[in-house]
Amino acid sequence: MSDQRSGRDPGPLDEVAYVCGQLERIRADLEMHSAQGAAPVERLLAVLRAGEDPTALLDALHEALLAAGDAAGIHGRARGLNPIGADPAVPGKWVLLCPSGQCSRYCWPDGPDAPRCRINDQPLRRERL
């Protein structure tokens, strides 16, 4: 398999964060346009829930998305992630991070309820800046 990445390699943390943020769209695209259906993303989620290395399955998901007509897959889109519903110019004293440390997803706490991980449904963990 050739490496489709260009420029800075975003790495697995950014790629998992991208998948997490786009999970519903990725699942729907694969179900509609791939002979495999959503199996590539479901296999990735199972590996992440088990706390195993997701690298090979991230590559497989990338290839499945390319085959389904997504021009960038996940390697081309995992750069420049924005925090969830927050202005990065106004950080607080705390940041909310992936509960298992498997992705680079983050957001600023702005309400009483912390957003939840889309992979294992745990609340994002608080970390002092």
Side-chain angles (χ1 to χ4, degrees):
M1 171 183 349
S2 66
D3 191 348
Q4 300 284 330
R5 302 171 198 211
S6 62
R8 180 184 75 82
D9 181 353
L13 293 177
D14 287 348
E15 291 174 347
V16 172
Y18 174 77
V19 171
C20 182
Q22 299 294 316
L23 187 57
E24 292 82 15
R25 183 197 59 80
I26 289 171
R27 192 178 275 136
D29 285 353
L30 290 175
E31 287 173 352
M32 184 176 291
H33 301 290
S34 173
Q36 301 176 65
V41 75
E42 299 305 330
R43 284 191 294 269
L44 173 64
L45 294 175
V47 162
L48 290 168
R49 287 180 185 121
E52 298 171 7
D53 180 12
T55 305
L57 290 173
L58 285 165
D59 289 339
L61 177 58
H62 174 74
E63 294 296 326
L65 285 169
L66 292 177
D70 183 326
I74 59 171
H75 298 327
R77 296 239 175 100
R79 295 178 208 72
L81 299 170
N82 295 320
I84 304 161
D87 179 4
V90 188
K93 294 180 182 178
W94 296 91
V95 65
L96 300 175
L97 302 171
C98 174
S100 62
Q102 292 180 297
C103 84
S104 61
R105 182 178 179 208
Y106 67 96
C107 67
W108 309 120
D110 61 355
D113 297 324
R116 300 185 77 78
C117 175
R118 293 187 179 136
I119 294 170
N120 62 24
D121 197 37
Q122 294 177 352
L124 298 183
R125 79 179 192 289
R126 285 175 53 124
E127 188 82 22
R128 184 173 289 279
L129 292 176

